[in-house]
Amino acid sequence: MPQIQRALPPYQQVIAHVRGQIEAGALSAGDLIPSDRQMAGEWGISRATAQKVIAALRAEGLVETEHGVGTRVRELPTPRHASGHDRAASVRRSGRIYRQGEYARIISATVAPAPADVAEVLGIEEGSNAIKRVRVTYGPDDVPGSASTSWFRGEWAEQAPQLLVTERIIQGTWAYIEGQTGLSVAAGQDRISVRLANEEDAELLGLELPAAVKVSRTILRDADSTAVEYGVSISGAGRESVYDYDVSV
């Protein structure tokens, strides 16, 4: 039984616990949270207090109640004003990184020779085999807004065969890799720059050359600094990235 700490009212502690499970991905979109009866038994609180917890989580937009079924975790889109931490929390929670109205298509998933930058990040020899997944993300108007290429170690082709299938990995790539290889993403770094688009960029995003693209390079590592994924994303004009941050002391 979880232990109530008296520093906060019991219902606030239960709210924080369930919220933390959702943010950490322990509870994913569609999962049922404990009923008020279960919650009361687990935490040693009254059913009225448990109902207050569920109402608060519903008010935060984290869960939704379906009559006759129970209360499920909602599928939450990545916020438009999202920091790297926010995006990571969204991936942990739902296995998705798309904003509301967006969808993606995996257009290729192959084994390919690792370019120099990929080899350096993954710690492999340049030209050696690496897994390459290319995804195009579309907006509500079905116009491509960004394209991204994710690179993984070639040796994972047998350990994690879904990486070579052109379909979305339902539980999310991170969770799948962790389950297949034991490596868990613990830290990430984004490197952002701008360059002129090449012909491949133009084909993926439907751009008319000459055009500029924003390039975001993301390196994801486990707790031992081993690279789990190296991703390169490009986006064209009209796709804005806005990051909110706290400047209070």
PDB file of all heavy atoms in Angstrom, residues 200-219:
ATOM      1  N   GLU A 200      16.736  16.210 -52.058  1.00  0.00           N
ATOM      2  CA  GLU A 200      16.030  15.223 -51.241  1.00  0.00           C
ATOM      3  C   GLU A 200      15.066  15.914 -50.273  1.00  0.00           C
ATOM      4  O   GLU A 200      13.928  15.475 -50.106  1.00  0.00           O
ATOM      5  CB  GLU A 200      17.030  14.375 -50.454  1.00  0.00           C
ATOM      6  CG  GLU A 200      16.375  13.285 -49.618  1.00  0.00           C
ATOM      7  CD  GLU A 200      17.376  12.471 -48.817  1.00  0.00           C
ATOM      8  OE1 GLU A 200      18.582  12.767 -48.886  1.00  0.00           O
ATOM      9  OE2 GLU A 200      16.944  11.542 -48.108  1.00  0.00           O
ATOM     10  N   ASP A 201      15.507  17.019 -49.659  1.00  0.00           N
ATOM     11  CA  ASP A 201      14.632  17.790 -48.768  1.00  0.00           C
ATOM     12  C   ASP A 201      13.408  18.279 -49.530  1.00  0.00           C
ATOM     13  O   ASP A 201      12.271  18.201 -49.043  1.00  0.00           O
ATOM     14  CB  ASP A 201      15.365  19.012 -48.200  1.00  0.00           C
ATOM     15  CG  ASP A 201      16.611  18.656 -47.414  1.00  0.00           C
ATOM     16  OD1 ASP A 201      16.661  17.544 -46.869  1.00  0.00           O
ATOM     17  OD2 ASP A 201      17.522  19.503 -47.360  1.00  0.00           O
ATOM     18  N   ALA A 202      13.648  18.813 -50.725  1.00  0.00           N
ATOM     19  CA  ALA A 202      12.564  19.367 -51.529  1.00  0.00           C
ATOM     20  C   ALA A 202      11.536  18.299 -51.883  1.00  0.00           C
ATOM     21  O   ALA A 202      10.327  18.555 -51.859  1.00  0.00           O
ATOM     22  CB  ALA A 202      13.133  20.005 -52.798  1.00  0.00           C
ATOM     23  N   GLU A 203      12.016  17.086 -52.179  1.00  0.00           N
ATOM     24  CA  GLU A 203      11.095  15.999 -52.532  1.00  0.00           C
ATOM     25  C   GLU A 203      10.267  15.575 -51.327  1.00  0.00           C
ATOM     26  O   GLU A 203       9.052  15.362 -51.433  1.00  0.00           O
ATOM     27  CB  GLU A 203      11.881  14.806 -53.073  1.00  0.00           C
ATOM     28  CG  GLU A 203      10.991  13.649 -53.516  1.00  0.00           C
ATOM     29  CD  GLU A 203      11.798  12.497 -54.084  1.00  0.00           C
ATOM     30  OE1 GLU A 203      13.027  12.635 -54.244  1.00  0.00           O
ATOM     31  OE2 GLU A 203      11.185  11.441 -54.355  1.00  0.00           O
ATOM     32  N   LEU A 204      10.892  15.482 -50.163  1.00  0.00           N
ATOM     33  CA  LEU A 204      10.184  15.048 -48.962  1.00  0.00           C
ATOM     34  C   LEU A 204       9.130  16.058 -48.520  1.00  0.00           C
ATOM     35  O   LEU A 204       8.023  15.684 -48.109  1.00  0.00           O
ATOM     36  CB  LEU A 204      11.176  14.822 -47.817  1.00  0.00           C
ATOM     37  CG  LEU A 204      12.072  13.584 -47.914  1.00  0.00           C
ATOM     38  CD1 LEU A 204      13.138  13.620 -46.832  1.00  0.00           C
ATOM     39  CD2 LEU A 204      11.237  12.304 -47.791  1.00  0.00           C
ATOM     40  N   LEU A 205       9.463  17.351 -48.590  1.00  0.00           N
ATOM     41  CA  LEU A 205       8.585  18.390 -48.050  1.00  0.00           C
ATOM     42  C   LEU A 205       7.798  19.144 -49.124  1.00  0.00           C
ATOM     43  O   LEU A 205       7.013  20.033 -48.792  1.00  0.00           O
ATOM     44  CB  LEU A 205       9.407  19.395 -47.230  1.00  0.00           C
ATOM     45  CG  LEU A 205      10.125  18.834 -46.005  1.00  0.00           C
ATOM     46  CD1 LEU A 205      10.890  19.944 -45.286  1.00  0.00           C
ATOM     47  CD2 LEU A 205       9.139  18.167 -45.057  1.00  0.00           C
ATOM     48  N   GLY A 206       8.010  18.791 -50.387  1.00  0.00           N
ATOM     49  CA  GLY A 206       7.290  19.491 -51.457  1.00  0.00           C
ATOM     50  C   GLY A 206       7.729  20.933 -51.596  1.00  0.00           C
ATOM     51  O   GLY A 206       6.906  21.821 -51.861  1.00  0.00           O
ATOM     52  N   LEU A 207       9.035  21.187 -51.430  1.00  0.00           N
ATOM     53  CA  LEU A 207       9.552  22.552 -51.493  1.00  0.00           C
ATOM     54  C   LEU A 207       9.952  22.923 -52.915  1.00  0.00           C
ATOM     55  O   LEU A 207      10.291  22.067 -53.728  1.00  0.00           O
ATOM     56  CB  LEU A 207      10.781  22.689 -50.586  1.00  0.00           C
ATOM     57  CG  LEU A 207      10.597  22.385 -49.101  1.00  0.00           C
ATOM     58  CD1 LEU A 207      11.945  22.472 -48.377  1.00  0.00           C
ATOM     59  CD2 LEU A 207       9.588  23.334 -48.480  1.00  0.00           C
ATOM     60  N   GLU A 208       9.927  24.223 -53.177  1.00  0.00           N
ATOM     61  CA  GLU A 208      10.408  24.734 -54.456  1.00  0.00           C
ATOM     62  C   GLU A 208      11.766  25.369 -54.204  1.00  0.00           C
ATOM     63  O   GLU A 208      11.882  26.317 -53.413  1.00  0.00           O
ATOM     64  CB  GLU A 208       9.427  25.762 -55.019  1.00  0.00           C
ATOM     65  CG  GLU A 208       9.762  26.193 -56.439  1.00  0.00           C
ATOM     66  CD  GLU A 208       8.670  27.058 -57.044  1.00  0.00           C
ATOM     67  OE1 GLU A 208       7.484  26.806 -56.760  1.00  0.00           O
ATOM     68  OE2 GLU A 208       9.022  27.997 -57.787  1.00  0.00           O
ATOM     69  N   LEU A 209      12.808  24.839 -54.825  1.00  0.00           N
ATOM     70  CA  LEU A 209      14.164  25.341 -54.615  1.00  0.00           C
ATOM     71  C   LEU A 209      14.389  26.647 -55.362  1.00  0.00           C
ATOM     72  O   LEU A 209      13.807  26.857 -56.438  1.00  0.00           O
ATOM     73  CB  LEU A 209      15.177  24.288 -55.073  1.00  0.00           C
ATOM     74  CG  LEU A 209      15.133  22.951 -54.324  1.00  0.00           C
ATOM     75  CD1 LEU A 209      16.146  21.973 -54.924  1.00  0.00           C
ATOM     76  CD2 LEU A 209      15.421  23.163 -52.846  1.00  0.00           C
ATOM     77  N   PRO A 210      15.207  27.556 -54.824  1.00  0.00           N
ATOM     78  CA  PRO A 210      15.943  27.453 -53.557  1.00  0.00           C
ATOM     79  C   PRO A 210      15.021  27.711 -52.363  1.00  0.00           C
ATOM     80  O   PRO A 210      14.063  28.476 -52.455  1.00  0.00           O
ATOM     81  CB  PRO A 210      17.001  28.545 -53.681  1.00  0.00           C
ATOM     82  CG  PRO A 210      16.359  29.579 -54.548  1.00  0.00           C
ATOM     83  CD  PRO A 210      15.498  28.816 -55.536  1.00  0.00           C
ATOM     84  N   ALA A 211      15.314  27.063 -51.249  1.00  0.00           N
ATOM     85  CA  ALA A 211      14.548  27.234 -50.020  1.00  0.00           C
ATOM     86  C   ALA A 211      15.447  26.922 -48.835  1.00  0.00           C
ATOM     87  O   ALA A 211      16.435  26.195 -48.972  1.00  0.00           O
ATOM     88  CB  ALA A 211      13.327  26.317 -50.015  1.00  0.00           C
ATOM     89  N   ALA A 212      15.104  27.483 -47.710  1.00  0.00           N
ATOM     90  CA  ALA A 212      15.852  27.211 -46.485  1.00  0.00           C
ATOM     91  C   ALA A 212      15.088  26.199 -45.645  1.00  0.00           C
ATOM     92  O   ALA A 212      13.856  26.136 -45.690  1.00  0.00           O
ATOM     93  CB  ALA A 212      16.071  28.499 -45.692  1.00  0.00           C
ATOM     94  N   VAL A 213      15.801  25.398 -44.890  1.00  0.00           N
ATOM     95  CA  VAL A 213      15.175  24.465 -43.953  1.00  0.00           C
ATOM     96  C   VAL A 213      15.853  24.584 -42.593  1.00  0.00           C
ATOM     97  O   VAL A 213      17.046  24.904 -42.504  1.00  0.00           O
ATOM     98  CB  VAL A 213      15.260  22.991 -44.432  1.00  0.00           C
ATOM     99  CG1 VAL A 213      14.372  22.760 -45.635  1.00  0.00           C
ATOM    100  CG2 VAL A 213      16.698  22.589 -44.718  1.00  0.00           C
ATOM    101  N   LYS A 214      15.064  24.353 -41.553  1.00  0.00           N
ATOM    102  CA  LYS A 214      15.624  24.266 -40.210  1.00  0.00           C
ATOM    103  C   LYS A 214      15.992  22.810 -39.962  1.00  0.00           C
ATOM    104  O   LYS A 214      15.200  21.909 -40.257  1.00  0.00           O
ATOM    105  CB  LYS A 214      14.606  24.726 -39.169  1.00  0.00           C
ATOM    106  CG  LYS A 214      15.164  24.719 -37.742  1.00  0.00           C
ATOM    107  CD  LYS A 214      14.114  25.091 -36.722  1.00  0.00           C
ATOM    108  CE  LYS A 214      13.162  23.939 -36.471  1.00  0.00           C
ATOM    109  NZ  LYS A 214      12.249  24.193 -35.352  1.00  0.00           N
ATOM    110  N   VAL A 215      17.159  22.579 -39.430  1.00  0.00           N
ATOM    111  CA  VAL A 215      17.646  21.232 -39.173  1.00  0.00           C
ATOM    112  C   VAL A 215      17.799  21.041 -37.672  1.00  0.00           C
ATOM    113  O   VAL A 215      18.495  21.814 -37.011  1.00  0.00           O
ATOM    114  CB  VAL A 215      19.008  20.976 -39.864  1.00  0.00           C
ATOM    115  CG1 VAL A 215      19.467  19.546 -39.619  1.00  0.00           C
ATOM    116  CG2 VAL A 215      18.907  21.260 -41.351  1.00  0.00           C
ATOM    117  N   SER A 216      17.136  20.032 -37.139  1.00  0.00           N
ATOM    118  CA  SER A 216      17.243  19.707 -35.715  1.00  0.00           C
ATOM    119  C   SER A 216      17.879  18.329 -35.594  1.00  0.00           C
ATOM    120  O   SER A 216      17.342  17.341 -36.094  1.00  0.00           O
ATOM    121  CB  SER A 216      15.863  19.701 -35.052  1.00  0.00           C
ATOM    122  OG  SER A 216      15.249  20.962 -35.155  1.00  0.00           O
ATOM    123  N   ARG A 217      19.014  18.275 -34.930  1.00  0.00           N
ATOM    124  CA  ARG A 217      19.709  17.012 -34.698  1.00  0.00           C
ATOM    125  C   ARG A 217      19.517  16.645 -33.231  1.00  0.00           C
ATOM    126  O   ARG A 217      19.881  17.418 -32.342  1.00  0.00           O
ATOM    127  CB  ARG A 217      21.190  17.132 -35.042  1.00  0.00           C
ATOM    128  CG  ARG A 217      21.425  17.524 -36.487  1.00  0.00           C
ATOM    129  CD  ARG A 217      22.924  17.658 -36.795  1.00  0.00           C
ATOM    130  NE  ARG A 217      23.107  18.192 -38.141  1.00  0.00           N
ATOM    131  CZ  ARG A 217      23.130  17.470 -39.245  1.00  0.00           C
ATOM    132  NH1 ARG A 217      23.006  16.149 -39.165  1.00  0.00           N
ATOM    133  NH2 ARG A 217      23.285  18.026 -40.428  1.00  0.00           N
ATOM    134  N   THR A 218      18.935  15.485 -32.983  1.00  0.00           N
ATOM    135  CA  THR A 218      18.643  15.048 -31.620  1.00  0.00           C
ATOM    136  C   THR A 218      19.439  13.791 -31.294  1.00  0.00           C
ATOM    137  O   THR A 218      19.393  12.810 -32.032  1.00  0.00           O
ATOM    138  CB  THR A 218      17.139  14.766 -31.451  1.00  0.00           C
ATOM    139  OG1 THR A 218      16.402  15.966 -31.716  1.00  0.00           O
ATOM    140  CG2 THR A 218      16.833  14.294 -30.035  1.00  0.00           C
ATOM    141  N   ILE A 219      20.168  13.852 -30.196  1.00  0.00           N
ATOM    142  CA  ILE A 219      20.942  12.701 -29.727  1.00  0.00           C
ATOM    143  C   ILE A 219      20.332  12.235 -28.413  1.00  0.00           C
ATOM    144  O   ILE A 219      20.219  13.015 -27.462  1.00  0.00           O
ATOM    145  CB  ILE A 219      22.420  13.072 -29.522  1.00  0.00           C
ATOM    146  CG1 ILE A 219      23.019  13.609 -30.826  1.00  0.00           C
ATOM    147  CG2 ILE A 219      23.205  11.853 -29.035  1.00  0.00           C
ATOM    148  CD1 ILE A 219      24.416  14.182 -30.659  1.00  0.00           C
TER     149      ILE A 219
END
